[in-house]
């Protein structure tokens, strides 16, 4: 009832690392503007866009607005007619929408 002893295991001991010679640091390049960087393939830089160069002549000049006439106040009847027209328009819009929804649902 003796336990057998574990078998010896072979191990390798690594050699200490040898120092590598340091590579010389690269020479600093002249500072370049990153907007005009052409990369390493020597292609020319892309053209830069200038603001509003292709704008129509009518739009490139500031707009001079004509002086407005002062608005005259609405009378009570005109305000009533305007509100009535808005109400009738929304009512007609709802009526058309309601009838078209019913037709679509009944199919």
């Amino acid at each position: 009832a003796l336990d057998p002893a574990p078998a010896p295991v072979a191990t390798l001991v690594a050699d200490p690392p040898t120092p590598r010679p340091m590579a010389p640091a690269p020479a600093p390049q002249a500072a370049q503007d990153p907007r005009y960087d052409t990369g390493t393939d020597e292609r020319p830089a892309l053209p830069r866009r200038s603001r509003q160069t292709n704008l129509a002549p009518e739009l490139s000049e500031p707009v001079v607005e004509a002086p407005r006439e002062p608005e005259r106040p609405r009378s009570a009847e005109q305000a009533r007619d305007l509100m009535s027209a808005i109400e009738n328009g929304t009512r007609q819009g709802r009526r058309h929408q309601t009838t078209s929804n019913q037709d679509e649902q009944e199919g």
Side-chain angles (χ1 to χ4, degrees):
L2 292 174
D3 291 333
V9 177
T11 56
L12 296 175
V13 177
D15 293 331
T18 57
R20 294 183 180 177
M22 295 291 288
Q29 295 180 344
Q32 293 181 355
D33 190 352
R35 294 179 294 169
Y36 301 110
D37 188 16
T38 60
T40 58
D41 56 1
E42 300 300 322
R43 288 188 285 181
L46 295 174
R48 302 296 297 179
R49 179 176 167 229
S50 300
R51 291 184 180 200
Q52 299 184 351
T53 55
N54 296 331
L55 196 60
E58 305 88 46
L59 301 176
S60 63
E61 298 175 6
V63 177
V64 178
E65 294 186 23
R68 293 185 175 186
E69 294 180 14
E71 293 183 22
R72 59 179 192 213
R74 287 191 183 110
S75 67
E77 290 80 20
Q78 289 174 329
R80 181 195 65 208
D81 292 343
L82 178 63
M83 290 295 144
S84 178
I86 292 172
E87 182 184 7
N88 287 334
T90 55
R91 188 179 303 127
Q92 288 175 359
R94 288 188 198 122
R95 186 179 328 131
H96 178 70
Q97 182 181 13
T98 305
T99 58
S100 65
N101 286 343
Q102 291 174 353
D103 293 339
E104 291 175 7
Q105 293 177 356
E106 290 180 8

XYZ file of all heavy atoms in Angstrom:
815
model
N 0.807 -1.162 0.000
C 0.000 0.000 0.000
C 0.865 1.245 0.000
O 0.583 2.222 0.633
C -0.924 -0.027 1.180
N 1.962 1.083 -0.643
C 2.812 2.249 -0.817
C 2.452 2.946 -2.131
O 2.245 2.314 -3.154
C 4.289 1.846 -0.873
C 4.871 1.305 0.418
C 6.272 0.812 0.168
C 4.889 2.386 1.479
N 2.360 4.269 -2.058
C 2.072 5.016 -3.281
C 3.358 5.125 -4.087
O 4.422 5.420 -3.543
C 1.556 6.422 -2.954
C 0.164 6.385 -2.322
O -0.580 5.426 -2.603
O -0.169 7.324 -1.563
N 3.220 4.891 -5.410
C 4.448 5.028 -6.204
C 4.863 6.487 -6.290
O 4.030 7.388 -6.344
C 4.059 4.491 -7.568
C 2.579 4.549 -7.631
C 2.091 4.468 -6.212
N 6.118 6.758 -6.319
C 6.647 8.122 -6.391
C 6.447 8.653 -7.809
O 6.513 7.906 -8.773
C 8.117 8.117 -6.032
N 6.163 9.913 -7.935
C 5.967 10.456 -9.287
C 7.259 10.377 -10.088
O 8.354 10.488 -9.554
C 5.558 11.907 -9.047
C 5.971 12.229 -7.660
C 6.017 10.932 -6.916
N 7.111 10.157 -11.385
C 8.274 10.027 -12.265
C 8.922 11.393 -12.437
O 8.225 12.424 -12.497
C 7.842 9.482 -13.609
N 10.219 11.461 -12.510
C 10.892 12.742 -12.690
C 10.553 13.326 -14.070
O 10.413 12.604 -15.043
C 12.367 12.436 -12.562
C 12.499 10.963 -12.711
C 11.166 10.354 -12.394
N 10.372 14.631 -14.112
C 10.013 15.325 -15.354
C 11.204 16.164 -15.780
O 11.773 16.913 -14.978
C 8.782 16.223 -15.137
C 8.441 17.002 -16.394
C 7.611 15.390 -14.673
N 11.569 16.060 -17.060
C 12.699 16.841 -17.568
C 12.237 18.260 -17.846
O 11.190 18.479 -18.437
C 13.241 16.210 -18.829
N 13.008 19.201 -17.399
C 12.688 20.610 -17.654
C 13.886 21.264 -18.303
O 15.031 20.925 -18.014
C 12.352 21.360 -16.356
O 13.446 21.225 -15.456
C 11.099 20.821 -15.720
N 13.596 22.204 -19.193
C 14.670 22.943 -19.852
C 14.755 24.326 -19.237
O 13.742 24.956 -18.947
C 14.386 23.072 -21.353
C 14.346 21.756 -22.132
C 13.945 22.023 -23.565
C 15.719 21.090 -22.095
N 15.931 24.783 -19.079
C 16.142 26.112 -18.548
C 16.519 27.003 -19.725
O 17.437 26.696 -20.476
C 17.246 26.113 -17.481
C 17.516 27.513 -16.965
C 16.888 25.171 -16.365
N 15.789 28.093 -19.893
C 16.047 28.991 -21.017
C 17.267 29.847 -20.723
O 17.540 30.207 -19.582
C 14.840 29.879 -21.263
N 18.004 30.139 -21.791
C 19.156 31.016 -21.651
C 18.665 32.436 -21.405
O 17.600 32.820 -21.884
C 20.002 30.998 -22.932
C 20.659 29.634 -23.140
O 20.919 28.957 -22.134
O 20.891 29.275 -24.314
N 19.372 33.253 -20.684
C 18.939 34.629 -20.472
C 18.927 35.362 -21.818
O 19.735 35.080 -22.689
C 19.971 35.202 -19.514
C 21.128 34.287 -19.560
C 20.620 32.957 -20.015
N 17.992 36.289 -21.997
C 17.908 36.981 -23.293
C 19.132 37.845 -23.520
O 19.689 38.428 -22.603
C 16.652 37.836 -23.168
C 16.417 37.965 -21.710
C 16.995 36.738 -21.060
N 19.562 37.853 -24.778
C 20.719 38.674 -25.114
C 20.215 40.046 -25.574
O 19.232 40.131 -26.310
C 21.541 38.036 -26.245
O 20.693 37.845 -27.385
C 22.096 36.693 -25.806
N 20.813 41.111 -25.146
C 20.348 42.433 -25.545
C 20.588 42.665 -27.038
O 21.624 42.301 -27.578
C 21.161 43.388 -24.683
C 22.326 42.612 -24.200
C 21.939 41.164 -24.234
N 19.567 43.228 -27.699
C 19.674 43.531 -29.127
C 20.227 44.943 -29.285
O 19.939 45.819 -28.472
C 18.309 43.462 -29.797
C 17.743 42.083 -29.813
C 16.442 42.098 -30.559
N 15.868 40.762 -30.580
C 14.709 40.481 -31.104
N 13.975 41.440 -31.630
N 14.261 39.247 -31.106
N 20.963 45.175 -30.355
C 21.455 46.543 -30.564
C 20.280 47.453 -30.926
O 19.357 47.060 -31.625
C 22.444 46.413 -31.719
C 22.124 45.121 -32.377
C 21.462 44.248 -31.338
N 20.305 48.662 -30.409
C 19.234 49.626 -30.652
C 19.371 50.196 -32.058
O 20.459 50.531 -32.501
C 19.302 50.774 -29.631
C 19.040 50.366 -28.188
S 17.343 49.883 -27.932
C 16.550 51.456 -28.026
N 18.227 50.295 -32.746
C 18.227 50.905 -34.078
C 18.270 52.420 -33.904
O 17.687 52.960 -32.966
C 16.978 50.497 -34.835
N 18.943 53.126 -34.808
C 19.006 54.585 -34.665
C 17.604 55.181 -34.875
O 16.798 54.694 -35.644
C 19.970 55.025 -35.759
C 19.995 53.913 -36.742
C 19.671 52.660 -35.963
N 17.321 56.243 -34.150
C 16.021 56.911 -34.254
C 15.909 57.568 -35.628
O 16.891 58.082 -36.152
C 15.891 57.947 -33.153
N 14.710 57.522 -36.226
C 14.573 58.149 -37.541
C 14.728 59.668 -37.427
O 14.389 60.277 -36.423
C 13.155 57.782 -37.974
C 12.435 57.434 -36.714
C 13.480 56.921 -35.757
N 15.260 60.256 -38.483
C 15.480 61.700 -38.494
C 14.129 62.409 -38.536
O 13.234 61.997 -39.263
C 16.318 62.090 -39.705
N 13.960 63.466 -37.761
C 12.668 64.163 -37.784
C 12.446 64.833 -39.135
O 13.350 65.448 -39.696
C 12.776 65.193 -36.657
C 14.235 65.352 -36.423
C 14.898 64.061 -36.826
N 11.223 64.689 -39.646
C 10.890 65.296 -40.928
C 10.403 66.719 -40.700
O 9.986 67.089 -39.608
C 9.801 64.500 -41.624
C 10.243 63.103 -42.010
C 9.119 62.347 -42.706
O 7.978 62.750 -42.640
N 9.466 61.263 -43.357
N 10.429 67.502 -41.763
C 9.947 68.877 -41.663
C 8.453 68.843 -41.374
O 7.720 67.990 -41.866
C 10.220 69.613 -42.973
N 7.999 69.773 -40.575
C 6.579 69.820 -40.220
C 5.766 70.134 -41.468
O 6.076 71.048 -42.212
C 6.344 70.880 -39.147
N 4.733 69.320 -41.689
C 3.865 69.524 -42.840
C 2.475 69.862 -42.357
O 2.050 69.422 -41.308
C 3.801 68.267 -43.696
C 5.091 67.917 -44.380
C 4.923 66.667 -45.229
O 3.876 66.047 -45.219
N 5.950 66.320 -45.953
N 1.776 70.643 -43.147
C 0.385 70.959 -42.847
C -0.438 69.706 -43.163
O -0.401 69.220 -44.294
C -0.069 72.134 -43.705
C -1.418 72.662 -43.272
O -2.068 72.051 -42.421
O -1.812 73.698 -43.796
N -1.184 69.150 -42.196
C -1.909 67.899 -42.458
C -3.011 68.065 -43.498
O -3.434 67.101 -44.103
C -2.505 67.534 -41.098
C -2.471 68.778 -40.293
C -1.349 69.607 -40.841
N -3.456 69.289 -43.757
C -4.494 69.473 -44.771
C -3.958 69.199 -46.167
O -4.702 68.858 -47.074
C -5.054 70.890 -44.715
C -5.798 71.183 -43.431
C -6.293 72.595 -43.425
N -5.116 73.485 -43.391
C -5.167 74.781 -43.588
N -6.299 75.362 -43.848
N -4.071 75.513 -43.525
N -2.642 69.361 -46.361
C -2.060 69.189 -47.683
C -1.142 67.977 -47.736
O -0.288 67.883 -48.596
C -1.294 70.447 -48.090
C -2.174 71.664 -48.109
C -2.031 72.657 -47.166
C -3.176 71.792 -49.056
C -2.847 73.767 -47.183
C -4.004 72.900 -49.077
C -3.831 73.879 -48.143
O -4.649 74.977 -48.152
N -1.322 67.045 -46.840
C -0.496 65.850 -46.813
C -0.774 65.016 -48.054
O -1.905 64.642 -48.324
C -0.772 65.047 -45.551
C 0.190 63.893 -45.383
O 1.243 63.859 -46.035
O -0.132 63.006 -44.576
N 0.254 64.714 -48.812
C 0.063 63.926 -50.031
C 0.256 62.446 -49.781
O 0.040 61.649 -50.671
C 1.047 64.382 -51.124
O 2.377 64.193 -50.643
C 0.812 65.827 -51.503
N 0.650 62.052 -48.593
C 0.853 60.633 -48.313
C 2.208 60.175 -48.820
O 3.078 60.962 -49.188
N 2.392 58.887 -48.886
C 3.680 58.352 -49.298
C 3.722 57.967 -50.761
O 4.769 57.612 -51.263
C 4.009 57.106 -48.461
O 2.956 56.160 -48.644
C 4.149 57.460 -46.997
N 2.593 58.023 -51.471
C 2.598 57.577 -52.865
C 2.832 58.718 -53.851
O 2.688 58.540 -55.051
C 1.321 56.825 -53.200
C 0.073 57.637 -52.918
O 0.217 58.788 -52.483
O -1.019 57.117 -53.140
N 3.184 59.901 -53.356
C 3.579 61.037 -54.172
C 2.501 61.522 -55.137
O 2.795 62.087 -56.169
C 4.867 60.716 -54.950
C 6.046 60.383 -54.080
C 6.430 61.507 -53.127
O 6.346 62.676 -53.534
O 6.783 61.206 -51.991
N 1.235 61.290 -54.824
C 0.148 61.839 -55.634
C -0.101 63.268 -55.186
O 0.093 63.601 -54.018
C -1.130 61.021 -55.465
C -1.036 59.666 -56.150
C -2.362 58.996 -56.129
N -2.605 58.500 -54.767
C -3.679 57.831 -54.397
N -4.635 57.584 -55.256
N -3.827 57.411 -53.174
N -0.571 64.130 -56.093
C -0.847 65.513 -55.673
C -2.042 65.555 -54.740
O -2.910 64.688 -54.768
C -1.146 66.236 -56.995
C -1.533 65.165 -57.948
C -0.811 63.916 -57.501
N -2.078 66.585 -53.932
C -3.170 66.742 -52.976
C -4.462 67.046 -53.718
O -4.453 67.587 -54.822
C -2.851 67.869 -51.997
N -5.576 66.690 -53.120
C -6.879 66.976 -53.710
C -7.143 68.472 -53.666
O -6.673 69.174 -52.774
C -7.977 66.228 -52.940
C -7.920 64.711 -53.027
C -8.967 64.102 -52.107
C -8.153 64.263 -54.451
N -7.930 68.973 -54.616
C -8.220 70.411 -54.591
C -9.082 70.775 -53.402
O -9.901 69.987 -52.946
C -8.960 70.651 -55.905
C -9.444 69.323 -56.341
C -8.522 68.301 -55.747
N -8.892 71.970 -52.914
C -9.653 72.459 -51.771
C -10.842 73.260 -52.267
O -10.758 73.956 -53.277
C -8.782 73.345 -50.877
C -7.535 72.658 -50.358
C -7.825 71.502 -49.472
N -8.521 71.937 -48.288
C -8.923 71.148 -47.331
N -8.704 69.867 -47.408
N -9.553 71.616 -46.299
N -11.956 73.185 -51.570
C -13.179 73.881 -51.952
C -13.164 75.289 -51.380
O -12.814 75.501 -50.226
C -14.368 73.103 -51.405
C -15.673 73.728 -51.717
C -16.802 72.848 -51.233
N -18.010 73.638 -51.271
C -18.867 73.748 -50.280
N -18.674 73.085 -49.179
N -19.931 74.479 -50.391
N -13.573 76.245 -52.192
C -13.724 77.625 -51.739
C -15.201 77.891 -51.542
O -16.018 77.530 -52.387
C -13.173 78.599 -52.770
O -11.804 78.347 -52.978
N -15.541 78.530 -50.462
C -16.946 78.751 -50.136
C -17.626 79.664 -51.142
O -17.082 80.691 -51.517
C -17.080 79.362 -48.753
C -16.718 78.416 -47.671
C -16.960 79.057 -46.344
N -16.605 78.122 -45.294
C -17.036 78.212 -44.071
N -17.824 79.187 -43.721
N -16.671 77.329 -43.170
N -18.799 79.269 -51.555
C -19.727 80.038 -52.370
C -19.155 80.476 -53.710
O -19.588 81.468 -54.284
C -20.248 81.244 -51.590
C -20.990 80.872 -50.341
C -21.569 82.068 -49.629
O -21.291 83.196 -49.968
N -22.393 81.801 -48.622
N -18.207 79.757 -54.287
C -17.688 80.128 -55.601
C -18.643 79.721 -56.711
O -18.660 80.354 -57.762
C -16.311 79.491 -55.860
O -16.417 78.092 -55.690
C -15.267 80.060 -54.941
N -19.426 78.684 -56.532
C -20.364 78.238 -57.551
C -21.776 78.747 -57.291
O -22.726 78.244 -57.879
C -20.380 76.703 -57.609
C -19.046 76.156 -58.035
O -18.314 76.811 -58.753
N -18.732 74.957 -57.592
N -21.915 79.711 -56.461
C -23.221 80.237 -56.100
C -23.747 81.139 -57.214
O -22.983 81.867 -57.851
C -23.094 81.034 -54.799
C -24.350 81.363 -54.051
C -25.082 80.091 -53.635
C -24.017 82.154 -52.809
N -25.037 81.064 -57.474
C -25.648 81.912 -58.492
C -25.452 83.378 -58.134
O -25.467 83.743 -56.958
C -27.131 81.586 -58.602
N -25.274 84.237 -59.143
C -25.022 85.658 -58.844
C -26.140 86.310 -58.039
O -25.876 87.177 -57.212
C -24.902 86.318 -60.218
C -24.681 85.217 -61.176
C -25.201 83.964 -60.567
N -27.377 85.872 -58.271
C -28.484 86.464 -57.520
C -28.375 86.166 -56.028
O -28.832 86.929 -55.195
C -29.838 85.928 -58.005
C -30.101 86.087 -59.488
C -29.573 84.921 -60.302
O -29.791 83.764 -59.930
O -28.934 85.186 -61.323
N -27.785 85.042 -55.703
C -27.704 84.639 -54.307
C -26.433 85.115 -53.619
O -26.335 85.079 -52.400
C -27.801 83.112 -54.204
C -29.074 82.488 -54.761
C -28.982 80.978 -54.690
C -30.277 82.980 -54.002
N -25.430 85.522 -54.389
C -24.169 85.921 -53.773
C -24.222 87.332 -53.195
O -23.425 87.669 -52.339
C -23.033 85.814 -54.787
O -23.260 86.711 -55.856
N -25.146 88.142 -53.676
C -25.267 89.506 -53.162
C -26.340 89.552 -52.082
O -27.337 88.847 -52.155
C -25.626 90.456 -54.299
C -24.550 90.498 -55.365
C -24.960 91.335 -56.557
O -26.036 91.965 -56.502
O -24.208 91.340 -57.525
N -26.170 90.409 -51.082
C -27.184 90.481 -50.025
C -28.517 90.984 -50.584
O -28.564 91.806 -51.489
C -26.602 91.450 -49.010
C -25.527 92.172 -49.720
C -25.061 91.306 -50.858
N -29.580 90.483 -50.031
C -30.918 90.831 -50.477
C -31.352 92.123 -49.803
O -31.239 92.282 -48.591
C -31.908 89.697 -50.129
C -33.322 90.079 -50.516
C -31.480 88.422 -50.812
N -31.841 93.039 -50.605
C -32.368 94.290 -50.071
C -33.884 94.181 -50.130
O -34.463 94.066 -51.207
C -31.883 95.505 -50.895
C -32.478 96.787 -50.351
C -30.374 95.551 -50.910
N -34.497 94.146 -48.980
C -35.945 94.003 -48.922
C -36.613 95.363 -49.073
O -36.145 96.370 -48.541
C -36.363 93.369 -47.602
C -35.896 91.947 -47.456
C -36.439 91.287 -46.210
O -37.483 91.748 -45.696
O -35.812 90.340 -45.757
N -37.731 95.343 -49.797
C -38.508 96.579 -49.955
C -39.207 96.873 -48.639
O -39.618 95.962 -47.916
C -39.529 96.394 -51.071
N -39.341 98.129 -48.311
C -40.026 98.443 -47.050
C -41.486 97.988 -47.123
O -42.168 98.168 -48.123
C -39.917 99.964 -46.939
C -39.582 100.437 -48.310
C -38.905 99.313 -49.020
N -41.933 97.381 -46.071
C -43.301 96.868 -46.014
C -44.267 97.966 -45.596
O -43.922 98.845 -44.804
C -43.410 95.721 -45.004
C -42.657 94.503 -45.409
C -42.932 93.417 -44.414
N -42.314 92.170 -44.830
C -42.479 91.031 -44.209
N -43.222 90.970 -43.123
N -41.897 89.943 -44.650
N -45.456 97.823 -46.130
C -46.502 98.732 -45.690
C -46.997 98.252 -44.335
O -47.072 97.048 -44.091
C -47.658 98.713 -46.688
C -47.301 99.269 -48.040
C -48.496 99.216 -48.985
O -49.631 99.010 -48.518
O -48.264 99.375 -50.176
N -47.339 99.156 -43.476
C -47.849 98.702 -42.173
C -49.158 97.944 -42.363
O -49.997 98.304 -43.193
C -48.050 99.989 -41.386
C -48.041 101.088 -42.390
C -47.284 100.602 -43.585
N -49.284 96.824 -41.634
C -50.497 96.018 -41.753
C -51.658 96.739 -41.094
O -51.533 97.260 -39.980
C -50.280 94.655 -41.089
C -49.262 93.801 -41.798
C -49.137 92.426 -41.162
O -50.085 91.999 -40.484
O -48.092 91.802 -41.338
N -52.748 96.734 -41.794
C -53.925 97.362 -41.206
C -54.622 96.348 -40.312
O -54.617 95.133 -40.599
C -54.846 97.900 -42.280
C -55.310 96.827 -43.223
C -56.246 97.411 -44.249
N -56.840 96.258 -44.915
C -57.181 96.220 -46.155
N -57.000 97.281 -46.902
N -57.714 95.149 -46.672
N -55.187 96.753 -39.258
C -55.830 95.813 -38.344
C -57.085 95.202 -38.985
O -57.767 95.827 -39.786
C -56.200 96.669 -37.130
C -56.188 98.067 -37.614
C -55.254 98.129 -38.783
N -57.335 93.941 -38.626
C -58.525 93.254 -39.140
C -59.745 93.699 -38.342
O -59.677 93.889 -37.125
C -58.374 91.741 -38.979
C -57.403 91.127 -39.926
C -57.530 89.609 -39.871
N -56.541 89.015 -40.744
C -55.484 88.333 -40.328
N -55.303 88.136 -39.052
N -54.630 87.867 -41.190
N -60.823 93.720 -39.054
C -62.071 94.005 -38.353
C -62.560 92.720 -37.702
O -62.074 91.621 -37.990
C -63.118 94.542 -39.337
O -63.483 93.512 -40.242
N -63.526 92.823 -36.846
C -64.076 91.644 -36.170
C -64.700 90.689 -37.180
O -64.570 89.464 -37.053
C -65.112 92.077 -35.135
N -65.336 91.217 -38.221
C -65.960 90.364 -39.229
C -64.907 89.606 -40.031
O -65.070 88.431 -40.341
C -66.835 91.209 -40.180
C -68.092 91.773 -39.550
C -67.806 93.022 -38.725
O -66.749 93.675 -38.920
O -68.634 93.334 -37.847
N -63.794 90.264 -40.350
C -62.728 89.590 -41.098
C -62.091 88.491 -40.253
O -61.789 87.403 -40.757
C -61.666 90.608 -41.525
C -62.128 91.549 -42.605
C -61.090 92.621 -42.891
O -60.335 93.033 -41.993
N -61.062 93.080 -44.129
N -61.873 88.728 -38.983
C -61.306 87.707 -38.096
C -62.253 86.528 -37.974
O -61.835 85.368 -38.018
C -61.013 88.299 -36.723
N -63.559 86.811 -37.861
C -64.554 85.745 -37.782
C -64.553 84.915 -39.062
O -64.562 83.683 -39.023
C -65.938 86.342 -37.545
C -67.031 85.276 -37.436
C -68.410 85.851 -37.567
N -68.541 86.394 -38.936
C -69.331 87.388 -39.259
N -70.063 87.989 -38.348
N -69.404 87.814 -40.508
N -64.523 85.574 -40.229
C -64.520 84.853 -41.501
C -63.265 83.998 -41.654
O -63.316 82.872 -42.151
C -64.627 85.847 -42.660
C -65.978 86.534 -42.711
O -66.932 86.013 -42.068
O -66.091 87.578 -43.388
N -62.128 84.502 -41.220
C -60.884 83.742 -41.300
C -60.943 82.497 -40.417
O -60.600 81.388 -40.853
C -59.697 84.623 -40.880
C -58.336 83.942 -40.875
C -57.940 83.499 -42.265
C -57.287 84.863 -40.283
N -61.393 82.651 -39.180
C -61.505 81.501 -38.281
C -62.517 80.492 -38.808
O -62.316 79.280 -38.716
C -61.908 81.953 -36.874
C -60.822 82.695 -36.149
S -59.457 81.567 -35.870
C -58.098 82.667 -36.086
N -63.609 80.965 -39.384
C -64.622 80.080 -39.946
C -64.047 79.291 -41.126
O -64.301 78.093 -41.270
C -65.838 80.894 -40.387
O -66.797 80.046 -40.971
N -63.249 79.936 -41.969
C -62.639 79.251 -43.106
C -61.657 78.182 -42.632
O -61.614 77.066 -43.184
C -61.930 80.261 -44.004
N -60.892 78.473 -41.617
C -59.954 77.484 -41.070
C -60.714 76.298 -40.499
O -60.368 75.130 -40.737
C -59.039 78.130 -40.005
C -58.102 79.138 -40.670
C -58.239 77.076 -39.254
C -57.292 79.963 -39.701
N -61.767 76.561 -39.764
C -62.564 75.486 -39.183
C -63.194 74.617 -40.264
O -63.162 73.385 -40.185
C -63.653 76.066 -38.285
C -64.500 75.010 -37.605
C -65.622 75.634 -36.796
O -65.821 76.843 -36.866
O -66.294 74.864 -36.086
N -63.756 75.241 -41.302
C -64.367 74.468 -42.388
C -63.327 73.630 -43.122
O -63.583 72.484 -43.492
C -65.079 75.403 -43.379
C -66.352 75.964 -42.805
O -66.968 75.360 -41.932
N -66.749 77.143 -43.295
N -62.149 74.172 -43.318
C -61.088 73.417 -43.993
C -60.655 72.202 -43.198
O -60.479 71.112 -43.749
N -60.494 72.344 -41.894
C -60.093 71.195 -41.090
C -61.216 70.168 -41.018
O -60.966 68.956 -41.024
C -59.687 71.625 -39.662
O -60.754 72.360 -39.082
C -58.436 72.471 -39.686
N -62.456 70.626 -40.984
C -63.592 69.698 -40.961
C -63.638 68.896 -42.264
O -63.833 67.677 -42.255
C -64.900 70.462 -40.745
C -66.092 69.535 -40.526
C -67.397 70.288 -40.286
N -67.284 71.194 -39.145
C -67.587 72.492 -39.193
N -68.021 73.046 -40.312
N -67.477 73.237 -38.118
N -63.448 69.562 -43.392
C -63.451 68.865 -44.680
C -62.290 67.880 -44.763
O -62.436 66.782 -45.292
C -63.369 69.869 -45.823
C -64.631 70.655 -46.047
C -64.446 71.722 -47.117
O -63.365 71.880 -47.685
N -65.517 72.479 -47.368
N -61.162 68.268 -44.241
C -60.010 67.369 -44.245
C -60.265 66.123 -43.424
O -59.914 65.010 -43.816
N -60.878 66.264 -42.279
C -61.194 65.099 -41.444
C -62.244 64.227 -42.098
O -62.188 63.006 -42.017
C -61.681 65.558 -40.070
C -60.593 66.124 -39.215
C -61.096 66.370 -37.808
N -60.211 67.290 -37.135
C -60.580 68.442 -36.612
N -61.830 68.837 -36.669
N -59.700 69.220 -36.015
N -63.229 64.841 -42.724
C -64.298 64.076 -43.355
C -63.719 63.226 -44.489
O -64.021 62.054 -44.606
C -65.370 65.017 -43.912
C -66.570 64.257 -44.458
C -67.674 65.156 -44.994
N -67.797 66.429 -44.317
C -67.870 67.611 -44.947
N -67.849 67.665 -46.262
N -67.991 68.724 -44.268
N -62.874 63.786 -45.302
C -62.267 63.041 -46.408
C -61.392 61.916 -45.868
O -61.408 60.813 -46.369
C -61.437 63.967 -47.294
C -60.749 63.250 -48.407
N -61.435 62.712 -49.472
C -59.446 62.954 -48.608
C -60.575 62.117 -50.286
N -59.356 62.262 -49.784
N -60.643 62.175 -44.829
C -59.774 61.166 -44.238
C -60.593 60.041 -43.628
O -60.260 58.883 -43.754
C -58.881 61.807 -43.170
C -57.907 60.855 -42.538
C -57.056 61.540 -41.460
O -57.366 62.641 -41.031
N -56.013 60.890 -41.045
N -61.687 60.339 -42.971
C -62.518 59.331 -42.335
C -63.147 58.426 -43.372
O -63.151 57.203 -43.235
C -63.632 60.002 -41.483
O -63.025 60.890 -40.566
C -64.442 58.980 -40.743
N -63.670 58.955 -44.453
C -64.310 58.120 -45.468
C -63.281 57.271 -46.203
O -63.544 56.117 -46.525
C -65.090 58.983 -46.479
O -64.184 59.903 -47.079
C -66.239 59.705 -45.802
N -62.088 57.773 -46.466
C -61.091 56.969 -47.174
C -60.552 55.861 -46.282
O -60.251 54.763 -46.748
C -59.945 57.856 -47.675
O -59.247 58.407 -46.580
N -60.446 56.074 -44.974
C -60.000 55.027 -44.052
C -61.028 53.907 -43.962
O -60.668 52.741 -43.862
C -59.709 55.584 -42.672
C -58.411 56.371 -42.632
O -57.582 56.249 -43.525
N -58.247 57.179 -41.609
N -62.310 54.227 -43.985
C -63.333 53.212 -43.918
C -63.315 52.349 -45.165
O -63.484 51.147 -45.093
C -64.724 53.841 -43.714
C -64.909 54.462 -42.350
C -66.255 55.212 -42.253
O -66.938 55.359 -43.236
N -66.563 55.664 -41.053
N -63.126 52.951 -46.318
C -63.067 52.184 -47.562
C -61.882 51.224 -47.546
O -61.999 50.086 -47.996
C -62.951 53.121 -48.769
C -64.220 53.949 -48.963
O -65.269 53.533 -48.445
O -64.119 55.004 -49.633
N -60.735 51.663 -47.023
C -59.551 50.818 -47.005
C -59.733 49.657 -46.035
O -59.252 48.547 -46.259
C -58.315 51.637 -46.598
C -57.908 52.647 -47.654
C -56.761 53.525 -47.190
O -56.212 53.249 -46.107
O -56.432 54.481 -47.890
N -60.415 49.855 -44.917
C -60.572 48.817 -43.910
C -61.612 47.774 -44.307
O -61.560 46.660 -43.855
C -60.943 49.433 -42.563
C -59.819 50.261 -41.976
C -60.244 50.931 -40.676
O -61.388 50.824 -40.263
N -59.319 51.623 -40.034
N -62.567 48.144 -45.148
C -63.631 47.211 -45.481
C -63.239 46.239 -46.576
O -64.011 45.347 -46.889
C -64.883 48.005 -45.917
C -65.534 48.739 -44.762
C -66.749 49.504 -45.224
O -67.173 49.342 -46.376
O -67.276 50.295 -44.417
N -62.108 46.343 -47.190
C -61.761 45.534 -48.349
C -61.475 44.154 -48.011
O -61.562 43.098 -48.333
